[in-house]
Amino acid sequence: MIEFRSVRKQYDDGTVAVQELSLTVPAGTVTVLVGPSGCGKTTLLRMVNRMIEPSSGAVLLDGGDVRDSEPARLRRGIGYVIQQAGLFPHRTVRDNVATVPRLFGHGRREARRRAEGLLERVGLPSEIGKRYPAQLSGGQQQRVGVARALAADPPVLLMDEPFSAVDPVVREGLQDELLRLQGELGKTVLFVTHDIDEAVKLGENVAVLRQGGYLAQYAPPEQLLAEPADDFVTSFVGRDRGYRRLSFVDSSGLRAGSVDTVRIGDTSADVPSQAGWVLVLDTHDRPRGWLPPEATIHGQLTEDQLIAGGSLHTGGAPLRGALDAALSSPSGLGVVVDEDGVYLGVVTARQVLEILESGRHPAVSEGAFR
Amino acid sequence: MISEIAAWLLDPAHWTGGEGVLRQSWLHLLYCVFAVCAAAVIAIPLGLYIGHTGRGSVLVVAFGNAVRALPTLGLVTGLAMLYQGSAALAALVVLAFPAVLSGTYAGVNAVPADAVDAARGMGMSSAQRLWQVELPNALPLLMGGVRNAMLQVMATTAIAAYVGLGGLGKLLIEGQAIRHYDQMASAAILIALLAVLVDLVLAGLTRLLVPRGVMLVVAETGAGPRGRREQR
Ligand SMILES: Nc1ncnc2c1ncn2[C@@H]1O[C@H](COP(=O)(O)OP(=O)(O)OP(=O)(O)O)[C@@H](O)[C@H]1O
Ligand SMILES: [Mg+2]
């Protein structure tokens, strides 16, 4: 557990970066600090491992004041991913990660073995271990940064915009990996971002900071979206908050309907009446695309005769995915699949809205997303 | 003229013996290596300290300017008059000092700030940070400083022959005195050649010392590692 007790930070030049702020980060959860640039997120984060000392107030780690620990020792027990990856240019990727176990006095061989395991854990192939940071992409560097922070197996992780330098697709992958790791390892994670979507996705609790180092709201993400505390939070969470909130609404009340289906490789004889849209599956029953009404098939059905499908909704996942599947599908029918991607049925946007309106499932269900 | 120089250089008699090219080259080299090593023994630790702590960076600039302001020959003769020949060596050491100091300081200063920050954040002690992160990444510029110092000292050693220090400069000055221009020109060529040769050796040494990962960064950016050190 991390506890900020009325901490305040005024830099030497008079800038007040954090203003009398109190916040409790529960153990074993991901807590996100979010806010516009310069609102004091990094400053607050760095108080935990004493990279920055508060001007007044105290930071407590598992009940003990961090000032009672010698800085280097304290830091060795806390994983810290800095805002840029901060890799050591002169060391290979593997030795970058092995640096921390080496600091703990492990032998070179043991440290490297650990490093290799960690690189695997963050989804990097083992060949990358022999490369130097200058030979990696930004996203790969950030993964290495995360692996290095995990190397001491610290109970507490501080992450400062660790995924800022990567494109949205890779970023999403890294976020999923973090959630998976968190699920496996149960760390206490304090995560900084200025991206509200990232905050809402990762945080069990989200602290919204305002320019000048004020805490504007501290709440679980679903509450943040449903009941923003003031105009600042409202504008910060943005226009789409109603839609985003669907990420926290359970979709179990949704009854998937059916639609005509055919398989790749079928001939025109197998294709049904053609009155409406027909969903095309592969041999493993996974959706491949759509055939429009009245489509004629010459010979065997192949991929290039299809219209690409929309996003897929995994049964049981939050309602946002179901609505998106329906809206993005060329037929207006959202395709529902199981965990293995096998076709289950279809839903319409109207069905989703009916669920919301009927009030049967509008209750914000905590943790439904995870 | 060229044929006369060639003839002078090809005459074996000019190469051997107490006043010969071989011995004078050796002395020249010895003085220079000694001067640069002696300077480095103090300048490198001092540069590392200043770069690491950020304290006393004014010193680096001051040293550089002071030495640049000194008339080289005046310094050499002045010291030599006071302490005789071997003191000219001390002048060479003083001359080599600022280049090594500023190279080392610039090297530490150019270590990526985020790498140093990460080192601090993972719990490295101040000394660990210096040895494991700052020094290896400072090496390209540090070695650049050493090479600068060596070139300067090489050139000045030629002048130091005026005050009785040996070396290739001696051949040059003698040649001038007796108006043997072939000898003068040959000596000048040899001095330049020796300087190039030593610089090549130092370049090779740099390649050996600088870690591969740092070379990659240097190659990529075309300069030293990225700038650093706004304390965040
Ligand atoms: N060493 C310093 N000296 C003076 N002012 C500083 C210092 N470090 C940060 N600040 C100021 O304190 C405020 C908060 O900075 P901080 O780095 O914590 O912001 P941040 O929320 O992390 O921003 P970003 O999203 O851009 O990283 C800013 O106004 C910044 O200019
Ligand atoms: Mg920041």
Side-chain angles (χ1 to χ4, degrees):
Chain A
M1 190 171 79
I2 307 167
E3 229 182 311
F4 297 90
R5 282 205 188 149
S6 347
V7 287
R8 182 186 142 84
K9 176 66 188 181
Q10 181 162 19
Y11 285 108
D12 295 338
D13 63 357
T15 314
V16 178
V18 175
Q19 199 72 256
E20 290 284 328
L21 191 148
S22 297
L23 190 75
T24 301
V25 176
T29 65
V30 179
T31 300
V32 179
L33 301 175
V34 67
S37 187
C39 68
K41 305 180 295 290
T42 298
T43 304
L44 199 58
L45 189 78
R46 284 161 76 89
M47 286 180 186
V48 178
N49 61 356
R50 294 188 66 185
M51 297 290 279
I52 290 174
E53 304 281 356
S55 311
S56 64
V59 180
L60 277 66
L61 191 61
D62 292 327
D65 193 324
V66 293
R67 269 171 304 197
D68 296 339
S69 310
E70 195 260 320
R73 201 197 175 89
L74 175 77
R75 289 170 195 155
R76 260 175 258 162
I78 298 175
Y80 178 34
V81 186
I82 72 165
Q83 196 159 351
Q84 305 78 15
L87 302 185
F88 303 141
H90 63 295
R91 291 193 175 158
T92 61
V93 164
R94 187 178 56 177
D95 286 343
N96 258 280
V97 180
T99 305
V100 179
R102 293 281 285 151
L103 283 179
F104 276 89
H106 291 291
R108 188 182 295 271
R109 182 172 296 182
E110 157 74 9
R112 285 191 170 159
R113 207 181 46 71
R114 279 194 71 124
E116 270 157 19
L118 282 159
L119 288 174
E120 201 174 306
R121 173 147 253 164
V122 297
L124 287 173
S126 59
E127 309 90 71
I128 286 219
K130 293 192 189 67
R131 294 209 207 151
Y132 288 92
Q135 298 167 314
L136 302 188
S137 72
Q140 289 170 330
Q141 289 189 19
Q142 290 196 312
R143 281 173 201 233
V144 178
V146 173
R148 190 172 62 175
L150 287 170
D153 197 18
V156 176
L157 264 178
L158 309 175
M159 309 181 86
D160 198 346
E161 305 198 24
F163 310 143
S164 55
V166 291
D167 63 80
V169 177
V170 175
R171 175 186 270 230
E172 200 149 301
L174 289 170
Q175 289 167 346
D176 291 337
E177 263 167 42
L178 177 68
L179 286 176
R180 184 176 54 73
L181 277 173
Q182 161 66 10
E184 279 172 29
L185 308 172
K187 309 269 182 209
T188 306
V189 181
L190 191 53
F191 188 105
V192 166
T193 179
H194 55 243
D195 175 358
I196 185 70
D197 280 315
E198 187 166 64
V200 163
K201 174 168 181 186
L202 294 177
E204 257 160 86
N205 293 290
V206 177
V208 183
L209 300 186
R210 186 152 46 92
Q211 209 61 253
Y214 296 93
L215 180 61
Q217 188 170 8
Y218 184 42
E222 45 274 40
Q223 191 184 335
L224 203 68
L225 295 171
E227 304 155 28
D230 57 22
D231 289 348
F232 169 76
V233 181
T234 308
S235 72
F236 193 76
V237 296
R239 276 208 189 85
D240 301 334
R241 69 189 168 94
Y243 180 58
R244 284 210 200 98
R245 233 189 106 208
L246 294 180
S247 292
F248 300 95
V249 181
D250 190 12
S251 69
S252 57
L254 203 58
R255 296 277 158 263
S258 63
V259 67
D260 292 332
T261 63
V262 292
R263 282 215 173 70
I264 295 279
D266 283 356
T267 54
S268 47
D270 306 310
V271 179
S273 57
Q274 284 293 307
W277 287 83
V278 178
L279 181 66
V280 183
L281 307 175
D282 67 10
T283 50
H284 301 289
D285 279 348
R286 282 185 287 245
R288 301 300 313 166
W290 292 89
L291 278 180
E294 320 295 343
T296 45
I297 298 169
H298 308 288
Q300 285 202 323
L301 181 57
T302 53
E303 295 256 358
D304 52 346
Q305 298 173 37
L306 307 184
I307 292 178
S311 62
L312 300 174
H313 171 57
T314 308
L319 216 44
R320 180 175 176 169
L323 184 57
D324 193 71
L327 294 179
S328 64
S329 172
S331 64
L333 299 168
V335 178
V336 185
V337 294
D338 70 7
E339 310 265 289
D340 301 319
V342 172
Y343 167 71
L344 292 178
V346 290
V347 294
T348 60
R350 182 184 299 272
Q351 278 178 281
V352 176
L353 297 181
E354 272 167 8
I355 287 204
L356 290 171
E357 265 158 32
S358 71
R360 267 182 289 133
H361 283 276
V364 166
S365 60
E366 227 168 285
F369 181 60
R370 231 164 257 112
Chain B
M1 186 70 197
I2 290 173
S3 63
E4 285 164 43
I5 296 170
W8 194 93
L9 284 173
L10 288 174
D11 185 348
H14 292 143
W15 286 77
T16 52
E19 304 285 292
V21 167
L22 285 179
R23 183 169 157 71
Q24 296 307 330
S25 299
W26 171 244
L27 281 178
H28 201 105
L29 189 68
L30 212 62
Y31 297 145
C32 293
V33 170
F34 172 82
V36 171
C37 285
V41 165
I42 306 165
I44 291 179
L46 187 64
L48 288 177
Y49 175 83
I50 294 173
H52 179 67
T53 58
R55 251 173 283 163
S57 50
V58 193
L59 224 69
V60 180
V61 182
F63 263 121
N65 289 341
V67 170
R68 214 165 298 142
L70 281 177
T72 309
L73 190 57
L75 176 72
V76 174
T77 25
L79 275 170
M81 283 193 319
L82 285 175
Y83 306 105
Q84 312 295 293
S86 67
L89 263 181
L92 294 179
V93 176
V94 171
L95 198 70
F97 193 81
V100 181
L101 179 68
S102 63
T104 308
Y105 170 74
V108 178
N109 226 26
V111 181
D114 56 347
V116 179
D117 198 51
R120 217 156 73 85
M122 69 173 62
M124 281 195 186
S125 68
S126 177
Q128 284 170 326
R129 230 153 53 223
L130 177 61
W131 290 115
Q132 297 187 31
V133 181
E134 290 173 325
L135 181 57
N137 286 292
L139 281 173
L141 290 182
L142 188 157
M143 287 305 293
V146 170
R147 282 168 72 177
N148 272 342
M150 185 60 89
L151 283 177
Q152 267 172 293
V153 169
M154 279 266 163
T156 311
T157 302
I159 304 173
Y162 272 117
V163 295
L165 204 63
L168 289 169
K170 188 169 171 172
L171 295 178
L172 196 141
I173 289 161
E174 276 175 10
Q176 191 190 28
I178 54 176
R179 290 169 197 260
H180 282 185
Y181 295 114
D182 51 352
Q183 178 177 338
M184 269 183 80
S186 299
I189 289 171
L190 287 170
I191 290 168
L193 220 61
L194 189 64
V196 170
L197 214 72
V198 169
D199 195 50
L200 276 178
V201 169
L202 284 178
L205 191 66
T206 305
R207 285 190 66 121
L208 278 182
L209 286 178
V210 176
R212 211 171 94 73
V214 178
M215 278 319 256
L216 287 170
V217 179
V218 175
E220 203 173 73
T221 56
R226 287 157 291 160
R228 73 170 282 200
R229 253 247 162 135
E230 353 69 277
Q231 195 86 33
R232 278 187 315 111

